[in-house]
């Protein structure tokens, strides 16, 4: 017997009451479920969709903020943060929720490439190996 009950939740994300067996699946697929405080019904878990700027944490369950990088997440219940910033842009802080959170890659980087894991340096430019992959690149004079 599967019973879905919707209750008003924060930020327009509905609260869904699910049996523990279903909650354990959805807890790693776009929802955050709490089986300890189920609410008005016993033996049910209180689940909410992951809000914008977060996605499912497939390892530990629940929701995690979108990582800093080339993508954000604008919808509820996402399994991954996979809405890309335009080419040459990246999300500077964790939890990006829209394209408005994307910022231009810095000086000395390739602004025509997607910056999923970092802003690539232009030919003839470099950054220290230990530097932030989104940091500016410096011109390296030829010897």
């Amino acid at each position: 017997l599967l019973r879905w009950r919707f209750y008003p939740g924060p930020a327009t994300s509905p609260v869904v009451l699910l049996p523990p067996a279903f909650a354990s699946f959805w807890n790693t697929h776009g929802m955050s479920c709490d089986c300890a405080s189920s609410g008005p019904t016993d033996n049910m878990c209180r689940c909410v969709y992951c809000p914008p700027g977060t996605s499912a944490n497939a390892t530990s369950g629940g929701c995690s903020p979108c990582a800093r990088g080339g993508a954000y997440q604008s919808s509820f219940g996402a399994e991954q943060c996979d809405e890309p910033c335009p080419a040459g842009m990246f999300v500077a802080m964790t939890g990006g929720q829209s394209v408005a959170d994307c910022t231009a890659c810095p000086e000395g980087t390739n602004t025509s490439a997607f910056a999923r894991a970092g802003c690539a340096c232009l030919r003839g430019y470099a950054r220290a190996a230990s530097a932030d992959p989104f940091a500016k690149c410096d011109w390296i004079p030829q010897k």
Side-chain angles (χ1 to χ4, degrees):
L1 174 68
L2 173 62
R3 294 182 294 173
W4 290 74
R5 292 204 179 114
F6 293 91
Y7 296 92
T12 69
S13 175
V15 174
V16 182
L17 294 181
L18 295 173
F22 287 99
S24 65
F25 171 80
W26 286 109
N27 198 43
T28 58
H29 290 85
M31 294 183 114
S32 178
C33 297
D34 178 6
C35 295
S37 58
S38 62
T41 307
D42 292 335
N43 299 320
M44 298 292 274
C45 300
R46 181 182 182 276
C47 301
V48 294
Y49 291 96
C50 293
T54 69
S55 65
N57 185 324
T59 305
S60 63
C63 307
S64 294
C66 295
R68 183 173 177 247
Y72 58 90
Q73 184 51 257
S74 64
S75 61
F76 283 89
E79 289 193 43
Q80 30 184 350
C81 297
D82 57 4
E83 295 178 57
C85 287
M89 299 183 86
F90 71 102
V91 178
M93 305 291 286
T94 60
Q97 298 180 19
S98 74
V99 71
D101 292 323
C102 299
T103 187
C105 285
E107 178 184 340
T109 62
N110 183 351
T111 57
S112 63
F114 288 100
R116 189 90 172 147
C119 297
C121 291
L122 291 169
R123 174 178 263 159
Y125 287 74
R127 69 173 68 92
S130 62
D132 177 345
F134 296 99
K136 78 179 193 98
C137 299
D138 296 310
W139 171 251
I140 306 298
Q142 299 297 318
K143 294 182 181 185

